[in-house]
Amino acid sequence: MREHDRLFIGGQWTAPAGTGTIDVISPHTEEVVGRVPDGTQADMDAAVAAARQAFDQGPWPRMTPAERAEILGRLSAIYAERQQQIADLVTEEMGSPILFSIFGQAALPQMVLQYYVDLASSFTWEEERAGMLGPVTVTREPVGVVAAIYPWNVPQFTLMLKLAPALIAGCTVVAKPSPETPLDAYLLAEWIKEAGIPDGVINIVPAGREVGAYLVSHPGVDKVAFTGSTEAGRKIGAACGELLRPVTLELGGKSAAIILEDADLASTIEGFKMASLMNNGEACAAQTRILAPRSRYDEVADALVTMVGALNVGDPADYGTEIGPLVAKRQQERVEGYIRIGQDEGAKVIAGGLNRPHDRGWYVAPTVFGDVTNNMRIAQEEIFGPVLALIAYDDEDDAVRIANDSNFGLGGSVWTADVDHGVEVARRVRTGSCGVNLYVLDANTPFGGYKDSGLGRELGPEGLSPYLEYKAIPRPS
């Protein structure tokens, strides 16, 4: 049982303004494994004030990028040495299988942090341009106080997508973890103090949606960065639009995996274990629409059924587990509701279904639907669980049409024996990323979505720009 009775504000462990608490419940045992304060508006006021003080008067924005990188490098080194602690903790609080947690919940966030530490030395922070009337200095300055609001599915990763570029830019941050997964943020806060990051540069306040909305509109905030549902993203985007406040939104997805006629089916289906079912299917970029040529439809269906039926579903702390429980009872009920919707729409459950694999814990059987048409809700709406929809296509043009027939545009993939041709097909898919024979996020390349999947990009040099203001200083020749 991990109990915390303070909030991390101004570099100190500070008593909360209220008496409310958040219980952290294990998705596997359904038992309380942690408890933290439930942040209030007054706590957010204090956190923003601390971040504001650190930005307006503190040393952090006035350091050189190299000086900030040196300090953040210490945090990255601490993180690298203790990744297992984060992996174990996230597995306990949200049910991510431990082998996925070691990579996706721990190693990947540290890689992102180190990427931005290294980028500081090569990024163009200032340049001289030959203006039309004389020389111009173009410099980049930190945008200010950043509100970073992030979800429960990959909490450290989605936080680091915001925290690392914001900090290297010279910004200060108020981070709001999801109520489901606040424990890992406390561990990170301890490392932040140990690394010697100045007081007030990072502030962490777990809280619910209402307090998060309060933070979005807080007058002391200069920029908002949000990862979460499209529904919540619309509200945040509207609030920021009213305030003329910069915002980055990484939202939902319903990505398509296109299996071409020449694809090696064995390696393709093996690849879907990660591309389609990563993190129990609780991933915005999961390839949950499987598009198969009609000539190979039955072959693909049989292979999916065999793969899904052989998955080890159980205790997420067990290194042999491939699918763990969903994060909360409401998520279990949501996913099972979509399985019922799919059946009502006329799709056929060919693997999994509504028989729960375990009596205890918020488990859902990995499920595959056959006879799916792309207009069905299970093909159009984000389910956020281990549910795949198998859709037949007539030819390559039809496959691309189906892939693009979605309100979302986050990820995607093409599976083929001809990689060059796979790249050609990937270029036609209207999404922010589309892999060939894999799906992976690379810290050096931008991540984000078209359409309802969001605004802006994270990762890569492109992920640093939203945390910078551009200033031109012209002068006489």
Side-chain angles (χ1 to χ4, degrees):
M1 179 70 177
R2 296 174 172 85
E3 289 203 71
H4 301 278
D5 60 0
R6 295 289 188 271
L7 301 170
F8 190 66
I9 297 175
Q12 307 301 319
W13 292 110
T14 304
T19 59
T21 58
I22 297 170
D23 284 346
V24 182
I25 303 174
S26 162
H28 173 61
T29 66
E30 302 184 34
E31 297 173 352
V32 176
V33 294
R35 185 171 292 116
V36 303
D38 188 1
T40 65
Q41 291 185 4
D43 294 316
M44 282 303 180
D45 287 339
V48 172
R52 189 84 261 163
Q53 170 82 9
F55 185 79
D56 292 341
Q57 301 180 31
W60 191 251
R62 291 153 191 87
M63 293 180 180
T64 66
E67 289 171 334
R68 291 193 291 267
E70 182 179 357
I71 296 172
L72 291 176
R74 295 202 295 265
L75 176 61
S76 180
I78 293 168
Y79 206 125
E81 292 172 358
R82 305 176 194 172
Q83 290 180 29
Q84 189 69 44
Q85 294 181 46
I86 284 284
D88 290 339
L89 193 51
V90 176
T91 287
E92 183 176 29
E93 64 185 343
M94 70 78 54
S96 183
I98 186 61
L99 284 179
F100 178 85
S101 283
I102 288 171
F103 172 69
Q105 309 284 15
L108 195 55
Q110 191 274 329
M111 290 167 59
V112 171
L113 176 57
Q114 187 61 47
Y115 168 78
Y116 283 105
V117 168
D118 295 339
L119 183 65
S121 63
S122 60
F123 188 78
T124 302
W125 298 98
E126 186 168 296
E127 60 184 301
E128 294 297 320
R129 296 186 189 177
M132 297 179 67
L133 302 176
V136 181
T137 298
V138 179
T139 188
R140 294 148 178 85
E141 301 176 350
V143 71
V145 174
V146 174
I149 302 173
Y150 60 102
W152 45 260
N153 62 323
V154 275
Q156 284 288 301
F157 177 65
T158 50
L159 171 60
M160 204 58 72
L161 294 180
K162 301 154 184 56
L163 191 65
L167 293 180
I168 209 69
C171 299
T172 59
V173 178
V174 177
K176 191 201 82 65
S178 167
E180 286 80 10
T181 54
L183 299 177
D184 58 280
Y186 277 81
L187 185 56
L188 179 62
E190 294 174 3
W191 299 350
I192 287 166
K193 284 186 68 67
E194 186 177 343
I197 295 174
D199 292 351
V201 171
I202 306 170
N203 308 272
I204 300 173
V205 180
R209 289 185 179 182
E210 291 184 3
V211 174
Y214 179 77
L215 175 62
V216 165
S217 299
H218 199 289
V221 167
D222 298 303
K223 177 195 164 47
V224 175
F226 172 76
T227 298
S229 71
T230 296
E231 178 185 7
R234 290 185 192 279
K235 296 176 181 177
I236 290 171
C240 289
E242 179 69 24
L243 295 166
L244 296 179
R245 179 166 294 169
V247 62
T248 302
L249 302 172
E250 196 276 287
L251 308 177
K254 193 70 180 179
S255 302
I258 302 174
I259 304 174
L260 297 185
E261 289 274 2
D262 65 351
D264 177 75
L265 197 53
S267 61
T268 296
I269 298 298
E270 183 66 23
F272 288 165
K273 288 183 179 180
M274 175 57 72
S276 302
L277 294 168
M278 67 178 102
N279 202 30
N280 310 329
E282 295 169 310
C284 54
Q287 323 285 288
T288 54
R289 288 186 296 155
I290 310 299
L291 277 52
R294 290 193 188 278
S295 62
R296 302 188 70 183
Y297 187 86
D298 291 342
E299 181 187 4
V300 171
D302 290 344
L304 280 173
V305 169
T306 299
M307 181 271 285
V308 167
L311 291 172
N312 188 355
V313 181
D315 184 351
D318 187 328
Y319 279 76
T321 293
E322 295 168 289
I323 300 290
L326 301 186
V327 71
K329 184 174 180 59
R330 71 170 191 284
Q331 191 67 16
Q332 180 191 48
E333 292 172 346
R334 169 187 169 87
V335 173
E336 289 179 341
Y338 270 104
I339 294 174
R340 294 186 182 92
I341 287 169
Q343 292 173 317
D344 292 342
E345 289 180 310
K348 180 181 178 182
V349 173
I350 58 176
L354 293 172
N355 294 323
R356 294 178 178 176
H358 299 283
D359 294 332
R360 184 183 69 169
W362 297 313
Y363 289 88
V364 172
T367 297
V368 180
F369 274 103
D371 298 336
V372 179
T373 57
N374 201 53
N375 62 342
M376 293 180 178
R377 288 181 62 187
I378 59 169
Q380 288 292 322
E381 299 178 13
E382 187 174 41
I383 297 174
F384 226 62
V387 179
L388 307 181
L390 180 59
I391 303 171
Y393 69 83
D394 296 322
D395 55 26
E396 206 168 272
D397 289 341
D398 191 37
V400 172
R401 179 192 65 78
I402 293 170
N404 290 336
D405 181 17
S406 171
N407 290 330
F408 297 105
L410 186 59
S413 55
V414 181
W415 304 79
T416 175
D418 185 343
V419 172
D420 290 340
H421 181 61
V423 171
E424 293 176 3
V425 175
R427 291 181 186 275
R428 299 173 63 192
V429 178
R430 295 281 296 168
T431 61
S433 59
C434 188
V436 177
N437 293 341
L438 52 75
Y439 186 79
V440 68
L441 302 182
D442 190 307
N444 192 37
T445 58
F447 173 65
Y450 295 11
K451 300 183 279 188
D452 287 359
S453 288
L455 297 172
R457 293 295 184 269
E458 297 180 307
L459 290 175
E462 296 83 359
L464 177 55
S465 294
Y467 299 94
L468 296 168
E469 294 281 15
Y470 289 70
K471 176 183 286 183
I473 307 175
R475 55 190 183 277
S477 300

